[in-house]
Amino acid sequence: MNDRRQNTQQAEQQLRLPFAPGVAGEAQDAAGGRVESLISPRTHQSPTHPPTRQASPASVMQEVLQPENLQVALAQVQANKGKPGIDGMTVDQLPDYLRMHWHQIKQQLLEGTYKPKPVRRVEIPKPDGGVRKLGIPTVLDRFIQQAVQQVLTGRWDATFSPSSFGFRPGKSAHQAVEAAQRHIADGCGWVVDIDLEKFFDRVNHDRLMARVMQRENDTALIRLIRSFLTAGVMENGLLSPTDEGAPQGGPLSPLLSNLVLDELDKELERRGHKFVRYADDCNIYVRSERAGRRVMEGIGAFITGKLKLKVNTSKSAVARPKDRKFLSFSFTGGKNVKRRIAPKAIQRFKAKVRRLTHRHKGQSLRQMVGPLSEYLRGWRGYFGHCQTPSVLAALDEWIRRRLRCVVLSRWRRGRRRFVELTKRGVGQDLAAQTAASAHGPWRLSRSPALSYALPNAFWDWLGVERVSLTG
């Protein structure tokens, strides 16, 4: 938090943006040479906390445009980095653009005439196959969306369900998994796992805007949000309209998705269900398979009939929690319920490690270890939350065996292997036996000779991270 405050204060001093707190951004009046301030004086607030006061409905856009809120939004967009939108403007170029054009942009926002540019379509592969279509707004539009999101989150978040964990301040995926674990431990031995088909692509604009207007009555804000929804998509040079959906990729989309699915949350609460929702991933916990079938039918009808969304029947199911995954975690059976890593997540982990340690990449070990350790640190930060340390220990063993296999493959065969093994302290007889073996590198990677020549201490010295917290 202190680093973020320091970075924001440095940005205020260096950039001298027209909306920076304490900086009177000025515009020269060409007609009479008059200098006017672009912002009105306001009591300074900490730039690390967007304003969250409950303003009157007609002043929400003014709240969005407060200097403190804008400065936090700019710092957040710069921290997130990200690629340019269709106009090619980078995050680093945004401050200069704002210095030159902020006065006009602010007027358009206040008058409700601001027109966002279409988003740039990007496809990224999903872990389980297929692709996820993202819409990358321009950096200017990301900045404005971030400013709106900060204010609306402060006004709306407290009204959302405590069982909703996705994209909310102070909540996380780990908390969602823990909540699911508590429901299972309380005797809910069956889960209704509901998958919404292409949720972000199917959001009904009219229903979404109706939900927004139930909460806010600022005409300029409402026009701005609808304009973001209908800005269109640019793909392969072709512009397509967006009649439905909330493109993933912008700061505002997660908040709007929570607003849409808050209606589902409230219905589940009204019916007395125990559930956990993270974005469009919703699990309902019941005590019997029969109850689960009944809930699946009833909630499915509500989703399709009331929310105008579609349930993916091929991916939804009523099952035991141990047989399903939730946010890449699963759960053990029996009375003592524990969090464990879902099998598919382990498969994806091993596939990624194999790609990072491909034996024919032509990299030195040190060059290979850098990206590998970076990935392992991030993976451990998330999956270290499991309660099955033996699985993490086994993965550590597998990683080091994989690395020994890579090294042995680079030693080729025969005399080179013999020389390298004896140089690392392996006895000549054992080195000769291993070097002359007809077995492949993977089989030999767990041999006594390789374990002695390339022990775990060597990989620790080289900087290979461990995914086991006790390793």
Side-chain angles (χ1 to χ4, degrees):
M1 186 65 74
N2 291 334
D3 291 341
R4 186 178 176 187
R5 181 181 294 111
Q6 184 178 2
N7 292 339
T8 304
Q9 291 171 344
Q10 289 175 351
E12 293 170 16
Q13 296 171 0
Q14 296 172 3
L15 300 177
R16 295 188 66 80
L17 293 165
F19 51 75
V23 176
E26 299 176 340
Q28 185 73 26
D29 188 322
R34 181 174 57 85
V35 177
E36 66 175 4
S37 172
L38 295 182
I39 59 172
S40 58
R42 176 178 167 88
T43 304
H44 180 75
Q45 297 182 13
S46 170
T48 60
H49 297 287
T52 57
R53 63 183 178 84
Q54 292 298 313
S56 61
S59 68
V60 181
M61 185 57 76
Q62 283 92 339
E63 189 174 351
V64 170
L65 297 175
Q66 286 300 319
E68 296 87 350
N69 185 60
L70 295 173
Q71 194 64 44
V72 175
L74 177 60
Q76 188 63 51
V77 170
Q78 290 177 314
N80 291 341
K81 299 181 180 179
K83 295 185 178 180
I86 65 169
D87 61 354
M89 185 190 301
T90 65
V91 171
D92 293 335
Q93 294 170 327
L94 178 59
D96 285 338
Y97 184 87
L98 291 173
R99 288 192 201 97
M100 296 177 61
H101 301 284
W102 177 245
H103 182 69
Q104 300 94 314
I105 295 170
K106 179 180 178 181
Q107 288 303 117
Q108 292 172 0
L109 291 170
L110 287 171
E111 295 167 1
T113 60
Y114 179 82
K115 298 296 182 185
K117 288 183 171 61
V119 299
R120 181 168 63 89
R121 174 71 78 208
V122 175
E123 294 184 351
I124 60 173
K126 290 183 178 181
D128 296 331
V131 296
R132 175 177 287 109
K133 294 184 177 182
L134 299 183
I136 307 300
T138 65
V139 291
L140 175 60
D141 289 340
R142 294 209 294 270
F143 163 66
I144 295 172
Q145 285 193 35
Q146 180 67 32
V148 173
Q149 180 265 334
Q150 288 169 177
V151 170
L152 294 185
T153 295
R155 296 169 67 86
W156 297 355
D157 189 74
T159 69
F160 290 155
S161 169
S163 296
S164 168
F165 292 85
F167 312 117
R168 296 184 60 190
K171 295 207 170 190
S172 67
H174 286 167
Q175 292 175 349
V177 174
E178 290 172 358
Q181 183 181 12
R182 287 194 295 271
H183 291 321
I184 299 168
D186 287 343
C188 296
W190 290 84
V191 60
V192 182
D193 187 354
I194 296 178
D195 183 90
L196 299 178
E197 185 173 314
K198 297 181 179 179
F199 166 71
F200 284 93
D201 297 331
R202 296 181 181 275
V203 171
N204 184 283
H205 288 177
D206 291 335
R207 284 193 55 80
L208 171 55
M209 292 310 303
R211 299 284 291 175
V212 173
M213 288 186 286
Q214 286 176 359
R215 293 170 177 260
E216 308 296 346
N217 193 31
D218 187 321
T219 302
L221 176 73
I222 291 170
R223 287 178 179 174
L224 179 63
I225 294 176
R226 184 175 279 279
S227 68
F228 278 124
L229 294 173
T230 59
V233 175
M234 184 72 74
E235 187 173 12
N236 298 323
L238 298 177
L239 177 61
S240 303
T242 47
D243 300 322
E244 63 178 359
Q248 298 181 73
L252 193 54
S253 293
L255 177 62
L256 295 179
S257 70
N258 273 336
L259 181 62
V260 171
L261 293 176
D262 183 60
E263 196 169 354
L264 172 61
D265 297 341
K266 295 299 190 289
E267 180 66 16
L268 291 171
E269 289 175 344
R270 188 185 68 80
R271 299 187 185 193
H273 292 312
K274 294 181 178 180
F275 70 98
V276 180
R277 183 177 65 79
Y278 192 96
D280 58 338
D281 198 345
C282 182
N283 280 5
I284 307 167
Y285 295 90
V286 295
R287 295 183 179 275
S288 69
E289 183 178 11
R290 182 178 179 182
R293 300 292 179 192
R294 186 171 61 251
V295 169
M296 176 70 82
E297 182 179 354
I299 295 301
F302 176 84
I303 290 171
T304 55
K306 188 72 180 292
L307 301 186
K308 307 303 180 184
L309 298 170
K310 187 176 181 180
V311 176
N312 189 332
T313 55
S314 64
K315 294 184 178 180
S316 301
V318 177
R320 293 287 190 181
K322 66 182 180 63
D323 297 324
R324 305 294 293 179
K325 64 180 179 65
F326 181 57
L327 302 177
S328 294
F329 283 91
S330 184
F331 304 95
T332 60
K335 293 183 179 180
N336 187 18
V337 180
K338 292 183 179 181
R339 300 183 297 272
R340 66 179 183 181
I341 306 170
K344 286 188 177 181
I346 294 178
Q347 294 173 11
R348 291 195 299 268
F349 170 81
K350 289 187 174 182
K352 178 70 173 182
V353 171
R354 289 189 186 100
R355 289 195 296 271
L356 291 172
T357 59
H358 196 281
R359 66 185 71 176
H360 301 303
K361 272 194 170 185
Q363 296 177 318
S364 68
L365 279 180
R366 287 195 177 276
Q367 290 174 324
M368 182 181 292
V369 163
L372 173 64
S373 290
E374 182 179 357
Y375 172 70
L376 295 179
R377 279 192 297 271
W379 193 90
R380 182 184 62 205
Y382 185 75
F383 289 101
H385 193 61
C386 75
Q387 295 174 310
T388 50
S390 61
V391 173
L392 298 178
L395 288 176
D396 271 333
E397 182 181 345
W398 178 85
I399 292 167
R400 280 143 187 78
R401 183 182 177 189
R402 168 71 185 176
L403 291 170
R404 293 185 186 105
C405 177
V406 170
V407 172
L408 186 61
S409 297
R410 292 182 176 184
W411 289 346
R412 303 295 180 180
R413 292 184 177 276
R415 181 164 182 78
R416 172 71 186 280
R417 290 184 176 180
F418 176 80
V419 170
E420 295 290 350
L421 289 172
T422 54
K423 186 167 64 176
R424 288 164 173 78
V426 179
Q428 290 191 357
D429 290 343
L430 181 58
Q433 180 183 353
T434 304
S437 174
H439 294 305
W442 180 247
R443 175 77 174 269
L444 292 175
S445 62
R446 66 185 307 175
S447 66
L450 265 293
S451 297
Y452 187 89
L454 301 170
N456 289 344
F458 169 76
W459 301 113
D460 292 338
W461 171 80
L462 202 59
V464 179
E465 291 284 340
R466 289 177 180 262
V467 296
S468 174
L469 300 177
T470 59

